[in-house]
Amino acid sequence: MSPTSSPAANQEFAELGLGPALLQTLSSLGYEEPTPIQREAIPHLLEGRDLLGLAATGTGKTAAFALPLLQLIQIGAKVPSALILVPTRELAVQVAQAVHRYGKELGVEVLPIYGGQSFQQQLKVLKRGVDVIVATPGRALDHLRRGTLHLKGLTVLVLDEADEMLDMGFAEDLEAILAEVPARRQTLLFSATLGPRIESIARKYLRDPIEVRIATDVDGDSGGDVPMVRQIAYLVRRPHKLAALGRVLDLESPEAALVFCRTRNDVDELTESLNGLGYRAEALHGGMSQEERDRVMKKLRGGTVDLLVATDVAARGLDISHLSHVINYEVPSAAKSYVHRIGRVGRAGREGVAITLAEPREHALLMNIERLTKQKIAVASIPTVADLHARRLELTRASVRESILEGGLDRFRVVVETLSDEFDLFDIALGAMKMGHEATLTGPEGDEEEIPIEKPFREKNRGENRPAKGKHGASRTGGGVSRLFIGLGRSGGVRPKDLVGAITGEAGIQGSQIGSIQISERFTIVEVSSDVADRVVQALKTAKIKGKKVTVRMDKAR
Ligand code: AMP
């Protein structure tokens, strides 16, 4: 379905000061309204102000800095006008893709640069000329030192997930990069947490910044009015979301559910996918005419449709009395929207259920919501295929029982009697049960996808007083930490960031899953989350650290 433009949405983004090309892009991406951080940050950023933004992933912070940046920089200058520093290569790729998406109409050239990628390839693109660079600090510094990256034309610098960059030991690299960028520039610093280290960076590098705090919007006015509903969150990564939603729908079998997505395009896509899977879903978003919306609502009230997939804007003011479930396909970007969304169930003494599918990275947003609502959201694993099968059998048992109690079975007596000449009564019952069960299925049983179980990123002890040397990164609360022995120490010239780089790069895990790093003369002990320990050992066995092959194993000392 092609997205229709929505003048009202454009109006809101236009009021923030964004120009026609960006408005066009936002409309084609299906964004219906700015998120709180976008509302607060964009007008100031467009005026050229520096910014200290406290916001976690999922709040829409990337667009909050990328949109004004794209409007302000000189595009096509052949030298980079903006540098965005991020902690990991995954994020470098993600942010670069976002900037590319937002800047498409403007013809912006974006290049992600991170370790592990060939220098030659990066050089080729750099020579051709790029407008925006998204880089991890280590690799950006390498390029600066080799003289392959010139930042004299820089007008905007963004430090994204700055707390994470510090946790990963990038403090020195950041200082070195900041020494190379022009003093006259706009600087934006985003962090999920605020502590003395972030404050000191902000004091040193930001000029009279405006402060935007989204991570702690607990003082909001909607905290008191939260309905009593059963609230569950399932942690699931993007590629498994659709399967997870299907699983949840099958298990919960909602009478009527409202499924929320962030954008109009997501609504259209999900509706189509759900219908393809045999569910009865209709889309509702701000790009639809009143007539279309009325038609959809009529279908829902009449029961020909039991799933409504909607954006926040479209669902505002809807009154659906028999709604049993609200499902957040993504965690809403503001805690207040969560409260509004779940307020649609659990009315008039009915039991309501609110289910949220969250990516592991979005765990912080969930906790933010818990703080606002003062209610617990149970974080559970997506039910397994075995759970699903058990639940389906339970449903079959319940329907057969109901059908026996209902009566009217006499016309089948002759069938059973005839079959009983040949078979045992118990076997006949089993055969009938199988037929009845299979009739309720949309596809063959056994084809269901097993959805990987995800663990939340642990809350970090962002203890700001940690020793600077030899101990690096956040120590974790709770159990599940494994110690790894690495046969390279101070005498081999290893630094915490080398290890963090090698571990995140080679094993593909997040910096937040690495705990303390204790470097001794001849070896190093690194703490990692136990659930990834094996993966790290395996990955490092074949990798080189500081150009050397090193011994890596689980440390048995504890
Ligand atoms: P971020 O917090 O930057 O990681 O963004 C989280 C997600 O929200 C991304 O998938 C964005 O595409 C999406 N997003 C950002 N701004 C908006 C908006 N105003 N409306 C809908 N979705 C948005």
mmCIF file of all heavy atoms in Angstrom, residues 458-502:
data_model
loop_
_atom_site.group_PDB
_atom_site.id
_atom_site.type_symbol
_atom_site.label_atom_id
_atom_site.label_comp_id
_atom_site.label_asym_id
_atom_site.label_seq_id
_atom_site.Cartn_x
_atom_site.Cartn_y
_atom_site.Cartn_z
ATOM 1 N N ARG A 458 21.156 -5.882 31.142
ATOM 2 C CA ARG A 458 21.074 -5.623 32.577
ATOM 3 C C ARG A 458 21.195 -4.144 32.861
ATOM 4 O O ARG A 458 21.872 -3.414 32.173
ATOM 5 C CB ARG A 458 22.168 -6.388 33.287
ATOM 6 C CG ARG A 458 21.860 -7.830 33.246
ATOM 7 C CD ARG A 458 22.610 -8.544 34.327
ATOM 8 N NE ARG A 458 22.400 -9.947 34.110
ATOM 9 C CZ ARG A 458 23.098 -10.643 33.220
ATOM 10 N NH1 ARG A 458 24.032 -10.050 32.524
ATOM 11 N NH2 ARG A 458 22.850 -11.915 33.031
ATOM 12 N N GLU A 459 20.520 -3.746 33.946
ATOM 13 C CA GLU A 459 20.673 -2.385 34.430
ATOM 14 C C GLU A 459 22.142 -2.177 34.731
ATOM 15 O O GLU A 459 22.789 -3.032 35.310
ATOM 16 C CB GLU A 459 19.899 -2.231 35.745
ATOM 17 C CG GLU A 459 18.593 -1.524 35.576
ATOM 18 C CD GLU A 459 18.755 -0.040 35.388
ATOM 19 O OE1 GLU A 459 19.300 0.353 34.330
ATOM 20 O OE2 GLU A 459 18.333 0.703 36.248
ATOM 21 N N LYS A 460 22.640 -1.038 34.321
ATOM 22 C CA LYS A 460 24.061 -0.851 34.547
ATOM 23 C C LYS A 460 24.309 -0.146 35.848
ATOM 24 O O LYS A 460 23.566 0.721 36.248
ATOM 25 C CB LYS A 460 24.612 0.001 33.437
ATOM 26 C CG LYS A 460 24.547 -0.718 32.178
ATOM 27 C CD LYS A 460 25.263 0.074 31.184
ATOM 28 C CE LYS A 460 25.287 -0.672 29.908
ATOM 29 N NZ LYS A 460 26.050 0.060 28.960
ATOM 30 N N ASN A 461 25.428 -0.520 36.470
ATOM 31 C CA ASN A 461 25.895 0.280 37.560
ATOM 32 C C ASN A 461 26.805 1.315 36.913
ATOM 33 O O ASN A 461 27.953 1.078 36.637
ATOM 34 C CB ASN A 461 26.683 -0.610 38.518
ATOM 35 C CG ASN A 461 27.510 0.215 39.455
ATOM 36 O OD1 ASN A 461 27.264 1.405 39.590
ATOM 37 N ND2 ASN A 461 28.476 -0.421 40.078
ATOM 38 N N ARG A 462 26.209 2.458 36.615
ATOM 39 C CA ARG A 462 27.013 3.466 35.950
ATOM 40 C C ARG A 462 27.799 4.209 37.019
ATOM 41 O O ARG A 462 27.947 5.407 36.966
ATOM 42 C CB ARG A 462 26.134 4.407 35.149
ATOM 43 C CG ARG A 462 25.261 3.681 34.161
ATOM 44 C CD ARG A 462 25.436 4.292 32.800
ATOM 45 N NE ARG A 462 24.483 3.693 31.885
ATOM 46 C CZ ARG A 462 24.832 3.319 30.673
ATOM 47 N NH1 ARG A 462 26.057 3.433 30.250
ATOM 48 N NH2 ARG A 462 23.931 2.808 29.875
ATOM 49 N N GLY A 463 28.265 3.473 38.062
ATOM 50 C CA GLY A 463 29.009 4.059 39.171
ATOM 51 C C GLY A 463 30.098 4.933 38.590
ATOM 52 O O GLY A 463 30.962 4.466 37.873
ATOM 53 N N GLU A 464 30.004 6.204 38.865
ATOM 54 C CA GLU A 464 30.877 7.128 38.176
ATOM 55 C C GLU A 464 32.262 7.195 38.816
ATOM 56 O O GLU A 464 33.152 7.805 38.294
ATOM 57 C CB GLU A 464 30.236 8.515 38.155
ATOM 58 C CG GLU A 464 28.876 8.515 37.525
ATOM 59 C CD GLU A 464 28.926 8.424 36.012
ATOM 60 O OE1 GLU A 464 29.980 8.701 35.424
ATOM 61 O OE2 GLU A 464 27.914 8.060 35.426
ATOM 62 N N ASN A 465 32.428 6.542 39.991
ATOM 63 C CA ASN A 465 33.709 6.663 40.673
ATOM 64 C C ASN A 465 34.619 5.492 40.393
ATOM 65 O O ASN A 465 35.538 5.230 41.130
ATOM 66 C CB ASN A 465 33.477 6.747 42.187
ATOM 67 C CG ASN A 465 32.628 7.944 42.500
ATOM 68 O OD1 ASN A 465 32.773 8.982 41.857
ATOM 69 N ND2 ASN A 465 31.725 7.804 43.458
ATOM 70 N N ARG A 466 34.330 4.778 39.333
ATOM 71 C CA ARG A 466 35.130 3.581 39.132
ATOM 72 C C ARG A 466 36.581 3.953 38.817
ATOM 73 O O ARG A 466 36.846 5.012 38.245
ATOM 74 C CB ARG A 466 34.534 2.746 38.001
ATOM 75 C CG ARG A 466 34.864 3.234 36.646
ATOM 76 C CD ARG A 466 34.214 2.320 35.678
ATOM 77 N NE ARG A 466 32.781 2.233 35.962
ATOM 78 C CZ ARG A 466 31.862 2.624 35.118
ATOM 79 N NH1 ARG A 466 32.197 3.113 33.971
ATOM 80 N NH2 ARG A 466 30.598 2.538 35.437
ATOM 81 N N PRO A 467 37.512 3.083 39.240
ATOM 82 C CA PRO A 467 38.900 3.365 38.960
ATOM 83 C C PRO A 467 39.137 3.461 37.466
ATOM 84 O O PRO A 467 38.524 2.725 36.684
ATOM 85 C CB PRO A 467 39.644 2.156 39.525
ATOM 86 C CG PRO A 467 38.644 1.276 40.153
ATOM 87 C CD PRO A 467 37.290 1.805 39.896
ATOM 88 N N ALA A 468 39.998 4.369 37.076
ATOM 89 C CA ALA A 468 40.186 4.613 35.651
ATOM 90 C C ALA A 468 41.026 3.538 34.985
ATOM 91 O O ALA A 468 40.787 3.174 33.856
ATOM 92 C CB ALA A 468 40.842 5.971 35.453
ATOM 93 N N LYS A 469 42.021 3.039 35.689
ATOM 94 C CA LYS A 469 42.938 2.109 35.046
ATOM 95 C C LYS A 469 42.682 0.679 35.480
ATOM 96 O O LYS A 469 42.385 0.413 36.631
ATOM 97 C CB LYS A 469 44.386 2.483 35.414
ATOM 98 C CG LYS A 469 44.862 3.728 34.689
ATOM 99 C CD LYS A 469 45.799 3.343 33.558
ATOM 100 C CE LYS A 469 45.843 4.316 32.423
ATOM 101 N NZ LYS A 469 45.813 5.698 32.663
ATOM 102 N N GLY A 470 42.830 -0.226 34.553
ATOM 103 C CA GLY A 470 42.788 -1.650 34.891
ATOM 104 C C GLY A 470 41.386 -2.135 35.159
ATOM 105 O O GLY A 470 41.114 -3.315 35.104
ATOM 106 N N LYS A 471 40.495 -1.254 35.422
ATOM 107 C CA LYS A 471 39.123 -1.678 35.662
ATOM 108 C C LYS A 471 38.296 -0.867 34.703
ATOM 109 O O LYS A 471 38.388 0.347 34.657
ATOM 110 C CB LYS A 471 38.766 -1.347 37.109
ATOM 111 C CG LYS A 471 37.343 -1.645 37.450
ATOM 112 C CD LYS A 471 37.276 -2.631 38.589
ATOM 113 C CE LYS A 471 35.832 -2.812 39.024
ATOM 114 N NZ LYS A 471 35.414 -4.141 39.069
ATOM 115 N N HIS A 472 37.517 -1.552 33.944
ATOM 116 C CA HIS A 472 36.819 -0.838 32.895
ATOM 117 C C HIS A 472 35.379 -1.316 32.807
ATOM 118 O O HIS A 472 35.100 -2.452 33.078
ATOM 119 C CB HIS A 472 37.505 -1.106 31.558
ATOM 120 C CG HIS A 472 36.596 -0.941 30.409
ATOM 121 N ND1 HIS A 472 36.505 0.239 29.754
ATOM 122 C CD2 HIS A 472 35.698 -1.773 29.877
ATOM 123 C CE1 HIS A 472 35.582 0.105 28.819
ATOM 124 N NE2 HIS A 472 35.084 -1.097 28.872
ATOM 125 N N GLY A 473 34.521 -0.458 32.403
ATOM 126 C CA GLY A 473 33.160 -0.890 32.099
ATOM 127 C C GLY A 473 32.316 -0.997 33.347
ATOM 128 O O GLY A 473 32.759 -0.735 34.453
ATOM 129 N N ALA A 474 31.092 -1.378 33.129
ATOM 130 C CA ALA A 474 30.128 -1.400 34.214
ATOM 131 C C ALA A 474 30.162 -2.749 34.894
ATOM 132 O O ALA A 474 30.238 -3.774 34.243
ATOM 133 C CB ALA A 474 28.748 -1.148 33.655
ATOM 134 N N SER A 475 30.094 -2.741 36.215
ATOM 135 C CA SER A 475 29.903 -4.026 36.871
ATOM 136 C C SER A 475 28.414 -4.259 36.923
ATOM 137 O O SER A 475 27.621 -3.328 36.911
ATOM 138 C CB SER A 475 30.514 -4.012 38.250
ATOM 139 O OG SER A 475 29.954 -2.962 38.987
ATOM 140 N N ARG A 476 28.000 -5.499 36.926
ATOM 141 C CA ARG A 476 26.576 -5.804 36.743
ATOM 142 C C ARG A 476 25.907 -6.088 38.059
ATOM 143 O O ARG A 476 26.493 -6.631 38.977
ATOM 144 C CB ARG A 476 26.396 -7.028 35.872
ATOM 145 C CG ARG A 476 27.193 -7.037 34.639
ATOM 146 C CD ARG A 476 26.538 -6.184 33.611
ATOM 147 N NE ARG A 476 27.612 -5.581 32.897
ATOM 148 C CZ ARG A 476 27.601 -4.378 32.411
ATOM 149 N NH1 ARG A 476 26.574 -3.620 32.577
ATOM 150 N NH2 ARG A 476 28.609 -3.904 31.749
ATOM 151 N N THR A 477 24.648 -5.802 38.089
ATOM 152 C CA THR A 477 23.868 -6.238 39.226
ATOM 153 C C THR A 477 23.369 -7.631 38.893
ATOM 154 O O THR A 477 23.290 -8.013 37.737
ATOM 155 C CB THR A 477 22.663 -5.311 39.434
ATOM 156 O OG1 THR A 477 21.987 -5.225 38.190
ATOM 157 C CG2 THR A 477 23.098 -3.941 39.876
ATOM 158 N N GLY A 478 23.037 -8.384 39.919
ATOM 159 C CA GLY A 478 22.461 -9.710 39.675
ATOM 160 C C GLY A 478 23.510 -10.707 39.269
ATOM 161 O O GLY A 478 24.694 -10.398 39.150
ATOM 162 N N GLY A 479 23.104 -11.971 39.030
ATOM 163 C CA GLY A 479 24.062 -13.022 38.734
ATOM 164 C C GLY A 479 24.367 -13.086 37.262
ATOM 165 O O GLY A 479 24.142 -12.143 36.523
ATOM 166 N N GLY A 480 24.892 -14.256 36.863
ATOM 167 C CA GLY A 480 25.090 -14.471 35.442
ATOM 168 C C GLY A 480 26.298 -13.795 34.854
ATOM 169 O O GLY A 480 26.266 -13.378 33.715
ATOM 170 N N VAL A 481 27.367 -13.657 35.646
ATOM 171 C CA VAL A 481 28.584 -13.070 35.080
ATOM 172 C C VAL A 481 29.676 -14.132 35.030
ATOM 173 O O VAL A 481 29.884 -14.862 35.981
ATOM 174 C CB VAL A 481 29.055 -11.866 35.929
ATOM 175 C CG1 VAL A 481 30.419 -11.382 35.459
ATOM 176 C CG2 VAL A 481 28.036 -10.750 35.851
ATOM 177 N N SER A 482 30.343 -14.266 33.889
ATOM 178 C CA SER A 482 31.435 -15.229 33.778
ATOM 179 C C SER A 482 32.751 -14.487 33.616
ATOM 180 O O SER A 482 32.797 -13.415 33.021
ATOM 181 C CB SER A 482 31.238 -16.114 32.554
ATOM 182 O OG SER A 482 30.063 -16.850 32.696
ATOM 183 N N ARG A 483 33.820 -15.092 34.163
ATOM 184 C CA ARG A 483 35.148 -14.487 34.032
ATOM 185 C C ARG A 483 35.914 -15.210 32.931
ATOM 186 O O ARG A 483 35.962 -16.434 32.895
ATOM 187 C CB ARG A 483 35.899 -14.619 35.359
ATOM 188 C CG ARG A 483 35.362 -13.674 36.442
ATOM 189 C CD ARG A 483 35.705 -14.202 37.815
ATOM 190 N NE ARG A 483 37.140 -14.408 38.016
ATOM 191 C CZ ARG A 483 37.968 -13.506 38.519
ATOM 192 N NH1 ARG A 483 37.513 -12.317 38.855
ATOM 193 N NH2 ARG A 483 39.245 -13.785 38.686
ATOM 194 N N LEU A 484 36.516 -14.454 32.052
ATOM 195 C CA LEU A 484 37.303 -15.048 30.978
ATOM 196 C C LEU A 484 38.776 -14.705 31.180
ATOM 197 O O LEU A 484 39.112 -13.577 31.544
ATOM 198 C CB LEU A 484 36.873 -14.516 29.612
ATOM 199 C CG LEU A 484 35.402 -14.620 29.249
ATOM 200 C CD1 LEU A 484 35.181 -14.136 27.821
ATOM 201 C CD2 LEU A 484 34.922 -16.063 29.376
ATOM 202 N N PHE A 485 39.625 -15.698 30.950
ATOM 203 C CA PHE A 485 41.066 -15.479 31.016
ATOM 204 C C PHE A 485 41.569 -15.191 29.606
ATOM 205 O O PHE A 485 41.265 -15.930 28.673
ATOM 206 C CB PHE A 485 41.744 -16.740 31.575
ATOM 207 C CG PHE A 485 43.243 -16.702 31.469
ATOM 208 C CD1 PHE A 485 44.009 -16.228 32.521
ATOM 209 C CD2 PHE A 485 43.890 -17.135 30.317
ATOM 210 C CE1 PHE A 485 45.391 -16.183 32.423
ATOM 211 C CE2 PHE A 485 45.275 -17.089 30.217
ATOM 212 C CZ PHE A 485 46.029 -16.609 31.273
ATOM 213 N N ILE A 486 42.302 -14.117 29.448
ATOM 214 C CA ILE A 486 42.878 -13.794 28.137
ATOM 215 C C ILE A 486 44.392 -13.658 28.317
ATOM 216 O O ILE A 486 44.845 -12.884 29.169
ATOM 217 C CB ILE A 486 42.270 -12.498 27.574
ATOM 218 C CG1 ILE A 486 40.771 -12.728 27.361
ATOM 219 C CG2 ILE A 486 42.945 -12.084 26.274
ATOM 220 C CD1 ILE A 486 40.010 -11.583 26.817
ATOM 221 N N GLY A 487 45.140 -14.445 27.554
ATOM 222 C CA GLY A 487 46.590 -14.530 27.768
ATOM 223 C C GLY A 487 47.371 -13.355 27.213
ATOM 224 O O GLY A 487 48.389 -13.535 26.536
ATOM 225 N N LEU A 488 46.913 -12.150 27.447
ATOM 226 C CA LEU A 488 47.627 -10.976 26.987
ATOM 227 C C LEU A 488 47.430 -9.897 28.050
ATOM 228 O O LEU A 488 46.289 -9.649 28.476
ATOM 229 C CB LEU A 488 47.034 -10.516 25.649
ATOM 230 C CG LEU A 488 47.800 -9.441 24.891
ATOM 231 C CD1 LEU A 488 49.150 -9.958 24.419
ATOM 232 C CD2 LEU A 488 46.989 -8.984 23.677
ATOM 233 N N GLY A 489 48.510 -9.283 28.482
ATOM 234 C CA GLY A 489 48.392 -8.287 29.551
ATOM 235 C C GLY A 489 49.110 -7.010 29.211
ATOM 236 O O GLY A 489 49.357 -6.720 28.037
ATOM 237 N N ARG A 490 49.440 -6.260 30.277
ATOM 238 C CA ARG A 490 50.093 -4.957 30.089
ATOM 239 C C ARG A 490 51.364 -5.070 29.263
ATOM 240 O O ARG A 490 51.648 -4.236 28.415
ATOM 241 C CB ARG A 490 50.410 -4.345 31.452
ATOM 242 C CG ARG A 490 49.714 -3.026 31.657
ATOM 243 C CD ARG A 490 50.093 -2.311 32.933
ATOM 244 N NE ARG A 490 50.349 -3.163 34.080
ATOM 245 C CZ ARG A 490 49.432 -3.554 34.964
ATOM 246 N NH1 ARG A 490 48.181 -3.166 34.827
ATOM 247 N NH2 ARG A 490 49.742 -4.330 35.975
ATOM 248 N N SER A 491 52.118 -6.158 29.536
ATOM 249 C CA SER A 491 53.394 -6.286 28.815
ATOM 250 C C SER A 491 53.161 -6.451 27.310
ATOM 251 O O SER A 491 54.036 -6.155 26.503
ATOM 252 C CB SER A 491 54.191 -7.467 29.367
ATOM 253 O OG SER A 491 53.416 -8.644 29.233
ATOM 254 N N GLY A 492 51.978 -6.900 26.940
ATOM 255 C CA GLY A 492 51.654 -7.044 25.516
ATOM 256 C C GLY A 492 51.020 -5.776 24.964
ATOM 257 O O GLY A 492 50.547 -5.736 23.826
ATOM 258 N N GLY A 493 50.932 -4.747 25.819
ATOM 259 C CA GLY A 493 50.422 -3.446 25.364
ATOM 260 C C GLY A 493 48.903 -3.393 25.200
ATOM 261 O O GLY A 493 48.377 -2.522 24.519
ATOM 262 N N VAL A 494 48.186 -4.321 25.836
ATOM 263 C CA VAL A 494 46.741 -4.338 25.621
ATOM 264 C C VAL A 494 46.051 -3.282 26.489
ATOM 265 O O VAL A 494 46.454 -3.035 27.634
ATOM 266 C CB VAL A 494 46.177 -5.759 25.871
ATOM 267 C CG1 VAL A 494 46.093 -6.077 27.340
ATOM 268 C CG2 VAL A 494 44.816 -5.915 25.218
ATOM 269 N N ARG A 495 45.057 -2.634 25.902
ATOM 270 C CA ARG A 495 44.283 -1.631 26.648
ATOM 271 C C ARG A 495 42.830 -2.079 26.700
ATOM 272 O O ARG A 495 42.401 -2.858 25.836
ATOM 273 C CB ARG A 495 44.353 -0.283 25.929
ATOM 274 C CG ARG A 495 45.740 0.318 25.887
ATOM 275 C CD ARG A 495 45.797 1.431 24.873
ATOM 276 N NE ARG A 495 45.416 0.948 23.542
ATOM 277 C CZ ARG A 495 45.224 1.719 22.491
ATOM 278 N NH1 ARG A 495 45.348 3.022 22.602
ATOM 279 N NH2 ARG A 495 44.886 1.206 21.329
ATOM 280 N N PRO A 496 42.050 -1.590 27.681
ATOM 281 C CA PRO A 496 40.652 -2.039 27.782
ATOM 282 C C PRO A 496 39.905 -1.906 26.464
ATOM 283 O O PRO A 496 39.166 -2.777 26.050
ATOM 284 C CB PRO A 496 40.059 -1.112 28.838
ATOM 285 C CG PRO A 496 41.214 -0.691 29.674
ATOM 286 C CD PRO A 496 42.416 -0.663 28.783
ATOM 287 N N LYS A 497 40.153 -0.800 25.758
ATOM 288 C CA LYS A 497 39.354 -0.590 24.543
ATOM 289 C C LYS A 497 39.689 -1.608 23.445
ATOM 290 O O LYS A 497 38.863 -1.941 22.613
ATOM 291 C CB LYS A 497 39.491 0.840 24.038
ATOM 292 C CG LYS A 497 40.837 1.177 23.489
ATOM 293 C CD LYS A 497 40.730 2.473 22.743
ATOM 294 C CE LYS A 497 42.004 2.700 21.964
ATOM 295 N NZ LYS A 497 42.076 3.943 21.295
ATOM 296 N N ASP A 498 40.974 -2.112 23.479
ATOM 297 C CA ASP A 498 41.310 -3.149 22.493
ATOM 298 C C ASP A 498 40.442 -4.374 22.729
ATOM 299 O O ASP A 498 39.947 -5.010 21.789
ATOM 300 C CB ASP A 498 42.774 -3.578 22.625
ATOM 301 C CG ASP A 498 43.722 -2.403 22.447
ATOM 302 O OD1 ASP A 498 43.448 -1.573 21.547
ATOM 303 O OD2 ASP A 498 44.693 -2.297 23.202
ATOM 304 N N LEU A 499 40.291 -4.685 24.033
ATOM 305 C CA LEU A 499 39.521 -5.885 24.362
ATOM 306 C C LEU A 499 38.045 -5.686 24.073
ATOM 307 O O LEU A 499 37.376 -6.543 23.511
ATOM 308 C CB LEU A 499 39.738 -6.249 25.838
ATOM 309 C CG LEU A 499 41.189 -6.666 26.117
ATOM 310 C CD1 LEU A 499 41.503 -6.657 27.587
ATOM 311 C CD2 LEU A 499 41.424 -8.067 25.537
ATOM 312 N N VAL A 500 37.570 -4.514 24.458
ATOM 313 C CA VAL A 500 36.143 -4.248 24.211
ATOM 314 C C VAL A 500 35.880 -4.291 22.705
ATOM 315 O O VAL A 500 34.931 -4.926 22.239
ATOM 316 C CB VAL A 500 35.726 -2.878 24.797
ATOM 317 C CG1 VAL A 500 34.302 -2.535 24.379
ATOM 318 C CG2 VAL A 500 35.826 -2.905 26.307
ATOM 319 N N GLY A 501 36.783 -3.670 21.962
ATOM 320 C CA GLY A 501 36.629 -3.656 20.506
ATOM 321 C C GLY A 501 36.637 -5.070 19.955
ATOM 322 O O GLY A 501 35.777 -5.449 19.147
ATOM 323 N N ALA A 502 37.606 -5.878 20.426
ATOM 324 C CA ALA A 502 37.712 -7.243 19.908
ATOM 325 C C ALA A 502 36.485 -8.060 20.279
ATOM 326 O O ALA A 502 35.927 -8.789 19.452
ATOM 327 C CB ALA A 502 38.970 -7.902 20.461
#
